[in-house]
Amino acid sequence: RKEVEQDPGPFNVPEGATVAFNCTYSNSASQSFFWYRQDCRKEPKLLMSVYSSGNEDGRFTAQLNRASQYISLLIRDSKLSDSATYLCVVNRGSGNTGKLIFGQGTTLQVKP
Amino acid sequence: ETGVTQSPTHLIKTRGQQVTLRCSSQSGHNTVSWYQQALGQGPQFIFQYYREEENGRGNFPPRFSGLQFPNYSSELNVNALELDDSALYLCASSLSGDPTGELFFGEGSRLTVL
C-alpha cells in the first residue's frame, strides 16, 4: 500500500464546474500537508498548505481530517488554466525537512 | 523562475553506465533534496543534503549517491544504470526552518536508459 493514495483520474470537467480531489495517507505521525500542482512536463509547484482548520485561497479550498487521515482539495468555478496534475503531499517531519512524500497525482482536464 | 537550475535537461545513457546530474539551489537556500519521478507517478524522495551532509534517505539503493558543496549546489550520481532508472530527476531547494515547508523545484533532468 502506498503511503499517500490518490485517484489518478483523469477528471474531465467543463469550465465553471466545481471539482473535488481526495487523498488518504497511512502514516499517522505525518506532521504537515500540502497540495502541489504540476503542469505537463514541468516541475511541481506549491499550490497551498493544508491545515486542520481548513484553508481557502480564492477558488481553492483545502481540508485536513487527521482522525480519518484524509486530505481534500476543492476547486470552484474551474478555469481552463486549472488543467494540471494535483499532487497530494505529506511531510513526515515537522517544519521544513524537505522529505516530502508525494501521491501519484490526480489529473484534471478542464474543457471549454 | 524558481531560481533552481538543473543540468543537463535531457540525457541518454546505456545500461551499466554512470551518470552525474547537477543542481544549483535558490539563493539563500541551504537544503537540497532529490526526487525521482517515473512517468505517471508522483516524485519519490531519494535523499536530502543539509550543510554538505546527507540528512535522510528514501528507499533507493547505494548506487544512488550525492554530494552537496559549500555553495549549497548539489550532485546526484547513479552508478550501474538500469532500465528502470529512466525517469525525471528533480532537485528541490529549501531553507531549513522555513515553517511554510515549501520546496522549490528545478525543471528536472530527464534520463533515458537504453
Side-chain angles (χ1 to χ4, degrees):
Chain A
R1 185 188 169 192
K2 294 180 181 178
E3 189 166 342
V4 179
E5 300 233 34
Q6 293 181 253
D7 178 351
F11 285 59
N12 295 300
V13 304
E15 267 187 294
T18 294
V19 61
F21 305 138
N22 303 318
C23 163
T24 57
Y25 61 95
S26 60
N27 190 330
S28 59
S30 300
Q31 299 275 341
S32 48
F33 310 87
F34 310 91
W35 284 99
Y36 273 69
R37 170 189 168 136
Q38 187 171 25
D39 292 313
C40 187
R41 303 186 76 80
K42 304 288 278 183
E43 72 276 18
K45 292 183 180 176
L46 179 66
L47 178 66
M48 58 198 304
S49 301
V50 188
Y51 306 113
S52 296
S53 54
N55 49 305
E56 189 174 309
D57 182 3
R59 298 181 293 108
F60 298 82
T61 301
Q63 293 275 356
L64 166 65
N65 184 322
R66 283 188 185 268
S68 302
Q69 296 181 200
Y70 171 95
I71 305 162
S72 66
L73 176 68
L74 183 76
I75 305 175
R76 290 180 299 277
D77 189 22
S78 299
K79 311 291 185 191
L80 295 176
S81 58
D82 293 334
S83 298
T85 295
Y86 291 84
L87 297 159
C88 176
V89 187
V90 167
N91 187 348
R92 290 196 206 120
S94 58
N96 183 359
T97 66
K99 300 166 202 170
L100 302 185
I101 309 299
F102 285 76
Q104 179 181 359
T106 299
T107 299
L108 172 65
Q109 190 69 38
V110 181
K111 306 282 189 184
Chain B
E1 189 180 320
T2 63
V4 180
T5 57
Q6 292 186 242
S7 63
T9 54
H10 295 80
L11 68 167
I12 300 172
K13 293 284 189 177
T14 56
R15 216 166 33 167
Q17 285 189 311
Q18 177 267 343
V19 68
T20 297
L21 308 178
R22 296 178 176 83
C23 172
S24 293
S25 59
Q26 187 176 99
S27 177
H29 283 181
N30 55 13
T31 303
V32 173
S33 306
W34 285 91
Y35 289 80
Q36 180 196 66
Q37 187 173 23
L39 199 61
Q41 301 297 315
Q44 284 199 65
F45 176 70
I46 303 175
F47 42 55
Q48 180 187 76
Y49 279 83
Y50 171 64
R51 291 187 175 179
E52 302 175 55
E53 301 228 345
E54 188 177 291
N55 180 38
R57 188 178 185 93
N59 189 26
F60 280 81
R63 60 189 185 83
F64 285 77
S65 63
L67 286 172
Q68 187 181 31
F69 300 100
N71 66 355
Y72 304 129
S73 66
S74 178
E75 284 183 358
L76 164 65
N77 299 290
V78 187
N79 294 322
L81 283 167
E82 300 176 0
L83 298 179
D84 285 349
D85 296 334
S86 296
L88 179 67
Y89 289 85
L90 294 161
C91 167
S93 78
S94 56
L95 180 61
S96 177
D98 179 357
T100 70
E102 183 172 4
L103 294 186
F104 295 84
F105 284 89
E107 293 189 358
S109 294
R110 192 167 297 277
L111 171 65
T112 301
V113 182
L114 301 176

